[in-house]
């Protein structure tokens, strides 16, 4: 009966989709609570690969209800395309629910995201250019348009007109480019409604119903702790809160409802986009990990920056998210590396830092202090229980848990469902 929050402990792409899919077998409901289609979650089921951006990864199990909560920003075009993509591949999407309170990504948000990145030049964030930042800006500025507004033709027309007056001024006068036309957007967005209407509801009521019946509720985070607007490597972050605490706000439940928080930890570190990355490997070793781990973005196709595991980051993630369990993924990617390193602290101008610094200037100067391990040089992809793993791989895993003082309840040794080792059951039925 627990309500479990699953989050990314690093800079995203830790394998949250795979772990969510695995846990979804026993989850009655899977809820996304923040972000939008900047997320890219790849899930492999029976040798078929599914790429999801907006719809919770739980959709691939027929039994679970999937909810897009109020904290998510929805691009309706992407949603409709994702629904069609799933239906074409034989996945039933009837269980989907969309929050009335979720904000919409509008075409001008996408254009603004692109223009801002271009304007910033070398100082760009490296966003996914999906309009995420501008959509959350409008939400905070109290001019955003929600699904509930889209349902009301008059309200939608009025809000869209007001927004376009303001945005077109920006496009024309600041960016010296053409603006958007009311009728085109109005018709297009109203056109998505027939495909979306049946899913739109007050999702917090539904989640509470599940909670009151002691059902298994899984909150699926997108992005990762270091991309959080408050706790991440600001300003190189996303515009939402990927940390566990945000599940309450983004789904409409109170903190007392949450029983457990799981952090997904990739066995090494990756990052997409700009910003400092102390353990980054800019050499052949980094290229090797990128190739072995297929570290290319699911959303934008960009090569992911790769580096050794950073425990300073993981201890920070354990604290900020209140982790009581971790899921360590992609262990198999390290199978053929002779010497593996873990960063345990930073050297900042001769001073040893054990806490993740707030200043990016400091972070950029931090040199990793490493502990070295002998690689296990053996195939882990066929391991199905902990005892199957080579002793040196177990030592690596135990050292990670020991350093962050959080037990590893799940270990992934490949992208497939069955390539998952469970050490502690998360949900029981
Ligand atoms: P997410 O954004 O956190 O859901 O992660 P992504 O889906 O963007 O990236 C993780 C990638 O690694 C996906 O392509 C997964 O199929 C794959 N993956 C997940 N777990 C494992 C694992 O244990 N081993 C390997 N080799 N691949 C994995
Ligand atoms: P998942 O859920 C990795 C990064 C972008 C950029 C920054 C801001 O697949 O782990 P945005 O478009 O959100 O304004 O971009 O955040 N980013 C991600 N990096 N995984 C993600 O999602 C990401 N979503 C956003 O690359 O650096
Ligand atoms: Mg991803």
């Amino acid at each position: 009966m627990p309500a479990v929050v699953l989050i990314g402990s690093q800079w995203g792409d830790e394998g949250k989709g795979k772990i969510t899919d695995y846990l979804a077998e026993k989850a009655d409901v899977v809820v996304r609570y923040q972000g939008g289609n900047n997320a890219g979650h790849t899930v492999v089921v029976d040798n078929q690969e599914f790429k999801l951006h907006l719809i919770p990864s739980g959709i691939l199990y027929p039994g679970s209800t999937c909810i897009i909560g109020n904290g998510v920003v929805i691009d309706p075009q992407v949603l409709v395309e994702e629904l069609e993509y799933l239906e074409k591949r034989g996945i039933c999407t009837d269980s989907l629910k969309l929050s009335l309170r979720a904000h919409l990504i509008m075409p001008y948000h996408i254009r603004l995201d692109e223009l801002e990145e271009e304007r910033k030049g070398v100082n760009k964030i490296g966003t996914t250019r999906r309009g995420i930042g501008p959509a959350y800006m409008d939400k905070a500025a109290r001019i955003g348009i929600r699904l509930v507004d889209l349902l009301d033709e008059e309200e939608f027309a009025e809000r869209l007109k007001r927004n376009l007056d303001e945005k077109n001024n920006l496009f024309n006068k600041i960016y010296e480019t053409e603006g958007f036309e009311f009728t085109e957007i109005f018709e297009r967005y109203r056109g998505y409604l027939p495909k979306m209407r049946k899913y739109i509801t007050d999702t917090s009521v539904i989640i509470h119903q599940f909670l009151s019946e002691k059902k298994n509720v899984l909150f699926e985070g997108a992005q990762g702790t270091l991309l959080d607007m408050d706790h991440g490597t600001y300003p190189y972050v996303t515009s939402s809160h990927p940390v566990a605490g945000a599940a309450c706000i983004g789904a409409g439940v109170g903190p007392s409802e949450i029983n457990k928080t799981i952090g997904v930890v990739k066995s090494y570190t990756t990052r997409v986009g700009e910003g400092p990355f102390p353990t980054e490997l800019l050499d052949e070793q980094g290229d090797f990990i990128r190739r072995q781990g297929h570290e290319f973005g699911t959303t934008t196709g960009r090569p992911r920056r790769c580096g050794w595991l950073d425990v300073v980051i993981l201890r920070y993630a354990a604290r900020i998210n209140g982790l009581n369990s971790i899921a360590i993924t992609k262990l198999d990617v390290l199978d053929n590396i002779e010497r593996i390193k873990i960063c345990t602290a930073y050297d900042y101008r001769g001073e040893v830092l054990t806490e993740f610094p707030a200043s990016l200037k400091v972070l950029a100067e931090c040199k990793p202090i490493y502990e070295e391990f002998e690689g296990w040089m053996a195939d882990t992809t066929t391991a199905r229980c902990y005892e199957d793993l080579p002793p040196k791989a177990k030592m690596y895993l135990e050292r990670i848990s020991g350093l962050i003082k959080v037990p590893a309840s799940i270990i992934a040794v490949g992208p497939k469902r069955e390539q998952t080792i469970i050490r502690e059951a998360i949900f029981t039925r």
Side-chain angles (χ1 to χ4, degrees), residues 8 28 37 69 86 142 170 179 185 190 214 239 249 262 271 276 328 330 334 361 375 380 389 403-404 410:
D28 297 292
N37 59 302
L86 287 169
R142 292 156 295 181
L170 263 179
I185 300 182
R190 291 284 298 174
K214 311 278 183 225
S239 299
I249 302 169
I262 305 176
R271 165 161 218 183
I328 303 181
K330 306 192 88 160
L334 306 182
K361 273 194 189 163
T380 58
L389 290 171
L403 282 167
I404 63 174
I410 303 173

Side-chain angles (χ1 to χ4, degrees), residues 12-13 16 39-41 298 304:
D13 301 325
K16 299 174 294 293
H41 301 167
T298 310
R304 294 173 181 155

Side-chain angles (χ1 to χ4, degrees), residues 34-333:
Q34 46 71 230
N37 59 302
N38 47 348
H41 301 167
T42 302
V43 181
V44 181
V45 183
D46 297 335
N47 289 323
Q48 280 196 72
E49 192 175 71
F50 292 87
K51 289 185 188 295
L52 297 162
H53 298 284
L54 202 47
I55 296 176
S57 307
I59 199 77
L60 304 178
Y61 267 108
S64 39
T65 297
C66 284
I67 291 182
I68 297 184
N70 55 278
V72 176
V73 285
I74 298 177
D75 181 332
Q77 181 178 340
V78 173
L79 179 77
V80 166
E81 284 170 7
E82 202 158 290
L83 284 166
E84 285 168 359
Y85 159 82
L86 287 169
E87 282 155 15
K88 257 193 216 139
R89 299 189 59 181
I91 304 295
C92 175
T93 57
D94 290 350
S95 75
L96 184 68
K97 314 272 178 222
L98 308 172
S99 170
L100 283 159
R101 291 180 173 83
H103 280 245
L104 287 169
I105 296 179
M106 306 298 291
Y108 43 82
H109 292 139
I110 300 169
R111 189 78 190 103
L112 279 169
D113 199 352
E114 291 162 351
L115 287 167
E116 266 304 289
E117 283 287 275
E118 278 153 31
R119 192 187 62 81
K120 286 192 176 105
V122 290
N123 295 319
K124 70 178 194 291
I125 307 290
T127 74
T128 58
R129 303 189 176 209
R130 299 298 190 266
I132 306 295
Y136 278 115
M137 276 165 71
D138 279 2
K139 178 175 177 174
R142 292 156 295 181
I143 55 171
I145 303 178
R146 301 181 298 167
L147 273 183
V148 66
D149 305 319
L150 182 63
L151 290 176
D152 177 336
E153 192 171 317
E154 257 175 54
E155 186 72 26
F156 180 59
E158 197 190 311
R159 283 176 184 268
L160 179 59
K161 268 192 197 121
R162 265 191 272 150
N163 267 285
L164 282 180
D165 280 350
E166 191 195 298
K167 297 292 190 296
N168 282 344
N169 242 329
L170 263 179
F171 286 121
N172 300 155
K173 297 193 178 141
I174 306 290
Y175 297 102
E176 296 177 339
T177 178
E178 262 182 53
F180 286 83
E181 213 249 315
F182 171 83
T183 317
E184 193 276 322
I185 300 182
F186 181 80
E187 296 298 338
R188 182 147 73 85
Y189 272 57
R190 291 284 298 174
Y192 296 128
L193 259 186
K195 290 178 186 144
M196 290 168 63
R197 197 188 299 269
K198 68 174 180 183
Y199 304 114
I200 303 174
T201 182
D202 192 338
T203 48
S204 163
V205 173
I206 297 173
I207 299 169
H208 275 259
Q209 188 64 37
F210 277 105
L211 289 169
S212 67
E213 291 169 10
K214 311 278 183 225
K215 295 284 175 64
N216 293 333
V217 183
L218 179 64
F219 297 92
E220 177 190 9
Q223 288 82 51
T225 304
L226 291 189
L227 290 171
D228 185 275
M229 220 183 346
D230 274 65
H231 301 288
T233 42
Y234 191 88
Y236 298 102
V237 294
T238 190
S239 299
S240 71
H241 294 288
V243 296
C248 293
I249 302 169
V253 301
S256 57
E257 305 281 6
I258 309 294
N259 309 106
K260 201 175 183 73
T261 306
I262 305 176
V264 185
V265 171
K266 182 145 54 181
S267 305
Y268 46 94
T269 313
T270 63
R271 165 161 218 183
V272 203
E274 309 302 316
F277 177 174
T279 62
E280 182 168 17
L281 291 163
L282 295 164
D283 53 11
E284 174 48 35
Q285 186 68 74
D287 293 341
F288 179 82
I289 294 177
R290 188 175 308 107
R291 274 196 313 275
Q292 285 299 112
H294 305 290
E295 295 295 354
F296 296 88
T298 310
T299 300
T300 57
R302 288 178 287 177
R304 294 173 181 155
R305 300 159 65 192
C306 296
W308 296 120
L309 190 73
D310 184 336
V311 163
V312 182
I313 290 174
L314 298 183
R315 276 197 304 258
Y316 179 65
R319 168 157 57 85
I320 297 297
N321 295 289
L323 298 182
N324 8 57
S325 169
I326 55 172
I328 303 181
T329 60
K330 306 192 88 160
L331 185 69
D332 55 296
V333 173

Side-chain angles (χ1 to χ4, degrees), residues 407-426:
S409 49
I410 303 173
I411 293 141
V413 291
K416 297 179 185 169
R417 264 183 193 164
E418 60 271 23
Q419 291 174 309
T420 315
I421 296 171
I422 299 295
R423 303 197 70 201
E424 177 210 328
I426 305 296

Side-chain angles (χ1 to χ4, degrees), residues 19-28 30 58 60-64 216 218 417 427 429:
I19 303 297
T20 298
D21 168 71
Y22 187 86
L23 294 176
E25 184 193 2
K26 291 203 170 109
D28 297 292
V30 182
L60 304 178
Y61 267 108
S64 39
N216 293 333
L218 179 64
R417 264 183 193 164
F427 291 126
R429 256 221 258 256

